[in-house]
């Protein structure tokens, strides 16, 4: 299953989840209406009416009961969801998480940071906020957030102490699967909906406590009875909600395990982590009282649910999916060593050797025969090794700047400076106007350090800056967004790459400001968005080919591949960036499988002349980022220039 199929499934799961929770809400509403009807009937003197007639006579009261119940559940769900809307870091902090310092000297924390950064760069997404849970001795981890831009990854102390680098990489690969495949948004939605149903039971318990303080014995009895009934109805709804959550979560855990193998190209890491999870005394258990809310987000079952409510498949089944020859009895001998109080793993933090060096910008790219869509959201071991090379090759002073909240905005602005120094004065004026002279001088000082960077290093460097940018106040992020927009346009000319990089940064920073406002997975068909497709194909053809004749032919080849029955005209424009900006916003609403087809059409446009340079491939990558289809750093395979 590729990225687009995962996305389509996540969308179906989300729709199914909402439908099933609506049924659970309907059951709660029906239960409370029946309770009100019973109370009214018990309070009626004389011969009772037939039940149907009695209900009809009290239809207004029952209607208000239903409306009030739906309103309470809806507002409680909305409150819980909004409380999580500021990003994944709040979830980590709520469980006692601590941010991993950017320049930590602790070897285990440094290893965690390296593994997460490598996985992010290999995936083509911003580096998530990185946390560890120092009080948790169990082996566990989770990813939380609405989008990759506001994601946080957290790992327990037990995982850091007991997992090797390969095992930790397998666990992080599992969590990145949730980040890339749209699971995090679904997780937060589940938390909100479950809380909405549970609030009826909470209200019932509150009513019982208040009723016990009343002076009138009849009021006490009525209040306790009513509260008890509300609690019972609420927990019945919550019971079904838990069953729904468990069913959805178990299936996604199998997919995430498989994705971890696909990312790392080896089963020993993720399988070894699961075996230790099964063998150590503490297992995956978390001690924090708030763990139940996030149980479906965890790498392993941190609660100890019964089989009925388990949010994770049985460990033995998960291990056998990865290692068919696994014998559970073999754990006993290994577990004795793992459970020794002095046991701790710290292997050398050295990634595998590189499979290729960074290709020169003038090199050409050969796209894989299976289609470029197979690379989206699916980093391989080669991508991980290349990410390690890129990360290791970045100058240490620039990495230090990227990880510093005070310096990261200056670095991001410096990355957007024109490659021609003669064109930079208007950009420096724009920076000074928005950010002040001191900020401009800092950017001016950083600029020479960026001149030696390979094109493939610029986006990874920007990605490293995101954990620091997340720590900025919203007003500073807003000002930085404005500065990025002005920087792109200040020199009077906008290259396609400059535009796309600026737009990608604006999109990701916008997600930091309002994570919950990020668009969910789209559902629009290709034929409904022919106009924006024409704009994007035109821009790519215009900037990727030497002559207008070649550009027109490339445009038509892409259109014929994607929309064979459409008659779209190639109409290049000098003022292309405004229409392209609007087109990408519209294309973001495409259904996942439609995006895969669109991506193949984009490749057809770029490669029509038989030459796709690394620079052009980078353009494809950042445009895909704008469509929320992250590509790894090595798009296709580098081929020698002929």
């Amino acid at each position: 299953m590729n990225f687009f199929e995962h996305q389509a499934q996540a969308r179906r799961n989300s729709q199914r989840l909402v439908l099933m929770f609506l049924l659970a809400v309907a059951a709660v509403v029906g239960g409370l209406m029946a309770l009100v009807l019973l109370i009214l009937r018990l309070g009626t003197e004389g011969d009772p009416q037939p039940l149907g007639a009695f209900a009809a006579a009290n239809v207004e009261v029952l209607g208000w009961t239903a409306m009030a119940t739906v309103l309470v559940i809806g507002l409680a769900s909305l409150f819980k969801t909004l409380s999580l809307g500021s990003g994944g870091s709040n979830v980590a902090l709520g469980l006692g998480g601590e941010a991993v310092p950017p320049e930590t000297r602790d070897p285990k924390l440094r290893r965690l940071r390296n593994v997460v950064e490598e996985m992010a760069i290999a995936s083509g997404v911003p580096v998530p906020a990185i946390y560890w849970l120092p009080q948790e001795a169990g082996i566990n981890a989770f990813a939380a957030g609405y989008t990759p831009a506001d994601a946080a990854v957290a790992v327990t102390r037990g995982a850091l102490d007991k997992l090797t680098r390969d095992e930790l990489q397998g666990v992080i690969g599992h969590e990145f699967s949730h980040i890339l495949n749209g699971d995090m948004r679904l997780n937060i939605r589940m938390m909100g909906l479950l809380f909405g149903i549970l609030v009826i039971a909470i209200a019932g318990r509150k009513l019982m406590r208040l009723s016990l303080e009343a002076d009138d014995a009849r009021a006490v009895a009525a209040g306790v009875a009513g509260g008890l009934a509300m609690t019972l109805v609420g927990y019945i709804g919550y019971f079904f909600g838990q069953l729904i959550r468990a069913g959805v979560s178990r299936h996604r855990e199998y997919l995430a395990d498989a994705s971890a193998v696909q990312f790392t190209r080896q089963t020993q890491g993720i399988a070894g982590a699961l075996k230790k999870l099964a063998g150590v005394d503490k297992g995956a258990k978390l001690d924090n009282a708030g763990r139940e809310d996030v149980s479906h987000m965890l790498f392993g079952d941190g609660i100890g649910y019964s089989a009925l409510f388990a949010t994770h498949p049985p460990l033995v089944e998960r291990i056998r999916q990865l290692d068919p020859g696994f014998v559970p009895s073999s754990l006993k001998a290994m577990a004795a060593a793992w459970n020794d109080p002095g046991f701790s793993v710290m292997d050398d933090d050295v990634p595998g050797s590189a499979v290729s060096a960074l290709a020169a910008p003038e090199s050409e790219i050969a796209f894989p025969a299976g289609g470029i869509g197979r690379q989206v959201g699916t980093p391989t071991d080669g991508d991980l090794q290349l990410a390690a090379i890129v990360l290791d090759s970045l100058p240490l002073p620039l990495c230090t700047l990227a990880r510093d909240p005070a310096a990261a905005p200056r670095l991001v602005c410096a990355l957007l400076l024109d490659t021609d120094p003669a064109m930079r004065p208007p950009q420096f004026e724009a920076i000074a106007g928005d950010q002040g002279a001191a900020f401009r001088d800092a950017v001016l000082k950083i600029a020479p350090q960026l001149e030696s960077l390979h094109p493939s290093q610029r986006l990874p460097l920007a990605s490293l800056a995101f954990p620091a940018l997340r720590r900025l106040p919203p007003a500073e992020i807003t000002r930085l967004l404005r500065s990025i927009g002005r920087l792109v346009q200040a020199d009077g000319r906008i290259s396609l790459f400059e535009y796309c990089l600026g737009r990608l940064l604006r999109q990701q920073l916008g997600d930091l400001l309002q994570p919950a406002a990020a668009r969910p997975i789209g559902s629009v068909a290709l034929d409904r968005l022919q106009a924006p497709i024409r704009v994007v194909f035109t821009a790519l053809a215009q900037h990727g080919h030497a002559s207008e004749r070649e550009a027109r032919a490339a445009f038509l080849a892409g259109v014929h591949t994607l929309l064979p029955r459409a008659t779209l005209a190639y109409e290049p424009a000098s003022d292309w960036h405004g229409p392209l900006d609007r087109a990408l916003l519209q294309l973001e609403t495409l259904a996942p499988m439609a995006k895969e087809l669109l991506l193949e059409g984009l490749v057809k446009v770029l490669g029509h002349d038989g030459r796709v340079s690394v620079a052009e491939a980078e353009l494809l990558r950042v445009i895909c980022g704008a469509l929320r289809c992250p590509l790894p750093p090595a798009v296709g395979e580098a081929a020698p220039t002929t």
Side-chain angles (χ1 to χ4, degrees):
M1 185 179 294
N2 67 14
F3 169 84
F4 300 100
E5 291 166 335
H6 274 296
Q7 291 270 297
Q9 186 174 64
R11 186 172 183 275
R12 290 192 297 270
N13 282 343
S14 183
Q15 292 172 335
R16 185 176 61 179
L17 175 72
V18 171
L19 176 61
M20 290 189 292
F21 269 105
L22 286 176
L23 293 176
V25 169
V28 172
V29 171
L32 288 178
M33 289 173 65
L35 172 63
V36 169
L37 193 64
L38 176 63
I39 293 173
L40 292 174
R41 192 172 178 82
L42 291 175
T44 303
E45 297 180 357
D47 294 332
Q49 294 177 274
L51 187 59
F54 186 77
N58 292 277
V59 67
E60 186 174 350
V61 174
L62 296 178
W64 280 108
T65 300
M67 289 175 60
T69 305
V70 170
L71 184 63
V72 168
I73 293 175
L75 289 176
S77 296
L78 181 63
F79 167 78
K80 183 66 173 180
T81 303
L82 290 178
S83 70
L84 300 167
S86 55
S89 292
N90 275 5
V91 179
L93 292 170
L95 287 173
E98 296 180 7
V100 175
E103 301 301 330
T104 178
R105 297 192 177 188
D106 184 310
K108 292 177 181 176
L109 294 181
R110 188 172 63 246
R111 182 184 64 175
L112 171 63
R113 176 171 286 281
N114 288 346
V115 169
V116 172
E117 289 179 345
E118 288 167 16
M119 188 67 72
I121 292 171
S123 305
V125 298
V127 175
I130 307 171
Y131 289 85
W132 72 302
L133 308 179
Q135 306 304 319
E136 300 292 353
I139 299 175
N140 225 319
F142 66 86
Y146 272 94
T147 69
D150 80 295
V153 171
V155 174
T156 61
R157 174 173 56 83
L160 296 179
D161 288 342
K162 297 186 181 297
L163 299 183
T164 67
R165 191 186 204 279
D166 283 348
E167 291 165 350
L168 182 63
Q169 190 179 64
V171 171
I172 297 301
H174 175 105
E175 298 308 324
F176 262 79
S177 170
H178 292 314
I179 292 175
L180 292 168
N181 295 327
D183 293 340
M184 295 190 305
R185 193 181 189 96
L186 184 64
N187 284 337
I188 287 179
R189 182 170 289 182
M190 280 197 285
M191 291 174 70
L193 292 173
L194 271 175
F195 180 78
I197 295 175
L198 182 62
V199 80
I200 299 298
I202 295 172
R205 294 203 305 267
K206 184 72 173 176
L207 177 60
M208 284 192 289
R209 284 197 297 269
L210 291 175
S211 298
L212 291 173
E213 299 175 3
D215 296 329
D216 188 346
R218 294 178 60 186
V220 170
V224 169
L228 182 62
M230 283 181 63
T231 303
L232 179 61
V233 170
Y235 273 115
I236 289 173
Y238 189 67
F239 170 85
F240 287 110
Q242 290 280 40
L243 287 180
I244 294 166
R245 180 178 70 162
V248 172
S249 297
R250 284 195 294 266
H251 179 64
R252 289 183 302 124
E253 291 305 309
Y254 278 130
L255 291 178
D257 286 346
S259 293
V261 174
Q262 191 174 7
F263 293 172
T264 61
R265 286 298 188 269
Q266 50 100 359
T267 60
Q268 292 88 347
I270 182 74
L274 289 170
K275 289 173 184 177
K276 286 182 178 175
L277 207 65
V280 300
D281 290 338
K282 189 70 175 179
K285 298 293 176 58
L286 298 185
D287 296 325
N288 189 289
R291 66 195 188 280
E292 186 171 348
D293 269 357
V294 300
S295 60
H296 57 290
M297 295 185 181
L298 300 173
F299 173 69
D301 180 6
I303 307 298
Y305 282 124
S306 64
L308 189 64
F309 296 114
T311 52
H312 295 67
L315 273 174
V316 171
E317 290 184 18
R318 290 176 70 182
I319 296 170
R320 281 180 174 160
Q321 287 282 330
L322 303 168
D323 181 4
F326 170 68
V327 179
S329 59
S330 64
L331 284 176
K332 293 181 180 179
M334 295 182 284
W338 296 338
N339 289 311
D340 188 301
F343 178 82
S344 182
V345 169
M346 190 58 214
D347 46 0
D348 292 334
D349 185 27
V350 180
S353 60
V355 294
S356 64
L358 295 177
E362 65 274 9
S363 300
E364 293 180 4
I365 290 293
F367 288 107
I372 196 70
R374 294 185 182 275
Q375 291 188 287
V376 173
T378 312
T380 66
D381 57 338
D383 293 313
L384 287 170
Q385 292 177 31
L386 182 57
I389 294 172
V390 172
L391 190 59
D392 188 57
S393 69
L394 291 173
L396 182 59
L398 290 179
C399 292
T400 302
L401 291 174
R403 292 163 176 156
D404 181 358
R410 296 161 172 79
L411 176 66
V412 168
C413 288
L415 285 168
L416 285 165
L417 293 176
D418 199 291
T419 54
D420 182 358
M423 302 300 297
R424 291 180 178 178
Q427 293 183 307
F428 287 128
E429 290 181 17
I431 293 172
D434 274 342
Q435 304 280 359
F439 190 102
R440 176 203 57 201
D441 293 343
V443 173
L444 186 61
K445 186 177 180 180
I446 294 171
Q449 302 177 58
L450 301 175
E451 292 175 359
S452 62
L453 284 182
H454 185 280
S456 298
Q457 293 175 304
R458 290 181 172 266
L459 273 180
L461 183 59
S463 176
L464 284 185
F466 264 81
L469 295 175
R470 289 184 185 94
R471 296 164 61 185
L472 296 177
E476 289 190 32
I477 295 178
T478 301
R479 188 162 64 248
L480 179 59
L481 278 167
R482 185 172 61 248
S483 297
I484 289 172
R486 293 189 63 185
L487 266 173
V488 170
Q489 302 184 42
D491 58 3
R493 63 176 190 179
I494 304 176
S495 69
L496 188 59
F497 180 79
E498 182 182 36
Y499 165 78
C500 288
L501 176 57
R503 189 194 182 283
L504 184 56
L505 288 171
R506 293 200 312 272
Q507 173 182 290
Q508 293 172 344
L509 287 169
D511 287 348
L512 288 184
L513 281 176
Q514 293 182 303
R519 289 180 176 176
I521 298 169
S523 60
V524 179
L526 281 169
D527 57 2
R528 292 178 56 191
L529 295 178
Q530 293 188 19
I533 289 172
R534 183 191 67 79
V535 172
V536 174
F537 279 18
T538 297
L540 280 179
Q542 180 181 359
H543 290 83
H545 296 81
S547 69
E548 183 172 346
R549 182 180 62 81
E550 289 181 342
R552 186 183 301 276
F555 170 85
L556 293 175
V559 171
H560 179 72
T561 298
L562 188 64
L563 301 167
R565 298 181 181 178
T567 55
L568 303 181
Y570 175 68
E571 298 174 351
S574 57
D575 183 23
W576 53 268
H577 44 84
L580 180 58
D581 196 20
R582 293 188 291 273
L584 290 174
L585 282 173
Q586 291 177 277
L587 293 176
E588 193 182 334
T589 65
L590 282 171
M593 304 311 293
K595 286 184 179 180
E596 183 175 18
L597 294 174
L598 173 64
L599 185 52
E600 298 303 334
L602 293 172
V603 170
K604 198 75 173 179
V605 174
L606 281 179
H608 183 261
D609 58 1
R611 300 183 304 274
V612 180
S613 69
V614 172
E616 288 177 317
E618 285 295 302
L619 298 181
L620 174 66
R621 185 156 68 94
V622 293
I623 288 177
C624 287
L627 300 176
R628 301 190 186 277
C629 300
L631 278 175
V635 181
E637 299 175 354
T641 305
T642 56

